[in-house]
Amino acid sequence: MPLEHDHTAAAIAARLARGPRISYLRDWIYGGIDGAVTTFAIVAGSIGASLSARVILILGIANLIADGFSMAAANYSGTKAEHDDYERLRKMEERHIDREPGGETEEIRQIFKAKGYRGEELEQMTTLITSRRSVWVETMLSEEHGVSNGLRDPLKSALATFSAFVVCGAVPLVPFVAGLPASAATAAIATGIVFFAIGSAKSKWSTQGWLRSGLETLSIGLGAAGLAWAAGHLLERFIA
């Protein structure tokens, strides 16, 4: 089985110069599943209330735009907050190194002692890291606070969520546009296909096979969709 990348000196230098690849897979899956679930809930509830196809389309499209934008905006704010928190912690470590270099050096020493370094080897490691300020700060951020500078871009995260929400969320509406039988069962089948497709695509970045990953996401998505439909069905009975 071929390896994922070359290990020649030139290939390694080029790969490291590009920096780590930032994945937006989580944003895409999150938006796709939520878009399909919420739109399916609207379609199923609307059919149960005997609303016309025109009204269902209006409600569904409104959900795609409004809820999709809301999720994207929330993801943008949350991801930006991660950037702000990273910057706060970085400035804090910079300040601590300036004011308490001995204490921060001891933190490095204890961090690597916990990793198994001892004696002269431990002191050499401590000296090497604390001799370069940027490495010192990054080590403290990673080891003490569990954060790194490999953060996702807030705007790209938001766009990934919004695009996946709209694309996947539009699927339960296809029967009403294409003239197919407009029923909850048809919408459920279309939504199930979306869930399975998301899971199968996710397997590219997973150790699971495409079938297992697809079925796992299908079961999770249908469970969420079922809860949403059940809640709407019960509310309709009690409110009506």
Side-chain angles (χ1 to χ4, degrees), residues 38-69:
T38 56
T39 308
F40 170 75
I42 288 175
V43 169
S46 298
I47 291 175
S50 301
L51 299 180
S52 67
R54 180 172 178 272
V55 172
I56 293 175
L57 279 174
I58 292 173
L59 292 175
I61 293 172
N63 171 74
L64 290 179
I65 297 173
D67 201 8
F69 180 81

Side-chain angles (χ1 to χ4, degrees), residues 25-39 71 160-172 191 194-195 198 217:
L25 178 65
R26 186 188 75 175
D27 308 286
W28 183 80
I29 292 175
Y30 181 46
I33 291 179
D34 194 81
V37 167
T38 56
T39 308
M71 284 192 63
T161 296
F162 181 77
S163 59
F165 187 99
V166 171
V167 171
C168 296
V171 173
T191 306
V194 171
F195 292 144
I198 290 173
T217 305

